[in-house]
Amino acid sequence: MVEISRGVATVNGIHMHYRRAGSGPALVLLHGWPQTGYCWRKVLPALAERHTVIAPDLRGYGYTDKPTTGYDKRSMAADVAALIESLGFTSAAVIGHDRGARVAHRWALDRPDQVSKLVVLDIIPTRETWRRMDAALGRRYFHWLFHLQPDLPERLVGHDIPGYLRYFFETWTVNRHGLPGEAIDEYIRAFSTPGALRAGFDDYRAADLDNEHDNTDAGHLLTMPVLALWGAASFLEEIPALEIWRDYAEDVRGAAIPECGHFIAEERPEALLAHLDEFL
């Protein structure tokens, strides 16, 4: 059995909670919305056999502090960069899912010396998502537009946090039964704590600053190896994800994972591990 420890580091003025296991070169796992570092529980033990795995709760999520600022991806990436430095590492392979993949992409752009390999799960670059936003994509990404609104999401969602989160866990999975009950309970608990809803929405509300940074870096290709994976039944199913990523990185490979929706690490952990074993 792999022992998973927990810690809290003070980075960039916040207290960042993280899970850690294994030994060897650093491997950082970054979760998305509406989740926490708990989402990696099915793959973390296997990855820890060859790596020191570090799975933080991002700024505003889980047990990490929820300040009112700093949700642009550059600041969130700087949080994680400071975390690995505080733990004695100068570089790491990075796996990001959903919002965490957007943080990972920004980290790789800002600090390519720190990111040795990059895995992005079920996203295309943020800039491309906005550029391709039409009626069809808008229906799939409606939550982006809703979460951008000031105050309104907190007011509406706050009356039924379980119902709101369960909608995504059910509709973004293949079996439509959602994730295991204990996982959903954990995420509901996490987003029911003071400040958690607002912080999660602030992640999306950083869009203007994120777009400014992304547009400035347009044409700047990632130089480290990149692996892009997505669920064959996710909202990327009709989007040429691999072709898109090849416009953003020099060395990209990738594939769709069959019978999988958005939550790859929880829906198809064995398939994910097979791809990671070959890439890492």
Side-chain angles (χ1 to χ4, degrees):
M1 294 291 292
V2 173
E3 181 180 354
I4 301 175
S5 63
R6 295 183 180 227
V8 175
T10 302
V11 295
N12 288 352
I14 65 171
H15 297 93
M16 175 168 272
H17 170 262
Y18 62 91
R19 295 165 175 84
R20 176 175 178 167
S23 61
L27 174 61
V28 176
L29 312 180
L30 302 179
H31 65 85
W33 183 95
Q35 298 174 290
T36 68
Y38 179 80
C39 75
W40 303 108
R41 67 198 178 281
K42 293 184 178 182
V43 297
L44 194 155
L47 295 172
E49 292 176 2
R50 293 190 295 159
H51 301 86
T52 299
V53 180
I54 303 161
D57 292 337
L58 293 169
R59 174 184 290 249
Y61 290 85
Y63 293 103
T64 291
D65 284 352
K66 299 163 182 60
T68 57
T69 59
Y71 293 93
D72 63 285
K73 303 307 154 290
R74 173 162 287 161
S75 295
M76 294 177 76
D79 293 341
V80 187
L83 173 64
I84 69 161
E85 291 173 349
S86 75
L87 297 176
F89 295 96
T90 58
S91 65
V94 183
I95 303 172
H97 173 247
D98 189 79
R99 307 302 293 181
R102 303 186 189 287
V103 174
H105 185 197
R106 173 46 56 189
W107 186 9
L109 284 168
D110 287 352
R111 293 293 305 272
D113 58 305
Q114 283 191 325
V115 179
S116 59
K117 292 183 178 181
L118 175 64
V119 182
V120 288
L121 301 181
D122 215 58
I123 72 159
I124 57 173
T126 306
R127 181 170 178 268
E128 286 297 323
T129 303
W130 287 119
R131 290 178 66 190
R132 294 166 181 267
M133 190 68 73
D134 57 11
L137 199 59
R139 281 192 293 271
R140 298 178 185 181
Y141 283 82
F142 78 92
H143 62 293
W144 281 35
L145 306 177
F146 177 52
H147 293 178
L148 279 173
Q149 306 310 312
D151 302 326
L152 181 64
E154 290 92 331
R155 177 167 185 159
L156 298 182
V157 175
H159 291 292
D160 187 9
I161 295 172
Y164 190 65
L165 298 189
R166 285 180 189 278
Y167 172 85
F168 296 100
F169 294 132
E170 292 173 2
T171 59
W172 288 356
T173 53
V174 167
N175 62 23
R176 294 299 186 262
H177 295 153
L179 302 180
E182 65 273 14
I184 295 178
D185 288 345
E186 172 61 20
Y187 300 136
I188 291 171
R189 182 210 60 76
F191 283 90
S192 298
T193 59
L197 274 184
R198 185 263 311 153
F201 298 144
D202 281 348
D203 185 345
Y204 292 83
R205 290 175 183 140
D208 287 344
L209 188 51
D210 288 338
N211 287 337
E212 178 183 328
H213 295 158
D214 290 346
N215 288 332
T216 297
D217 281 327
H220 181 187
L221 300 184
L222 297 172
T223 56
M224 71 289 296
V226 175
L227 174 64
L229 300 172
W230 60 95
S234 79
F235 35 61
L236 295 186
E237 61 182 332
E238 298 177 6
I239 295 174
L242 190 55
E243 294 177 22
I244 293 169
W245 275 109
R246 285 176 173 154
D247 290 333
Y248 284 79
E250 296 177 357
D251 176 7
V252 184
R253 67 205 77 175
I257 296 181
E259 295 298 313
C260 187
H262 179 60
F263 301 103
I264 297 173
E266 293 179 279
E267 291 185 76
R268 294 295 306 279
E270 296 84 1
L272 174 58
L273 286 170
H275 283 283
L276 297 177
D277 184 61
E278 182 179 343
F279 180 71
L280 297 174

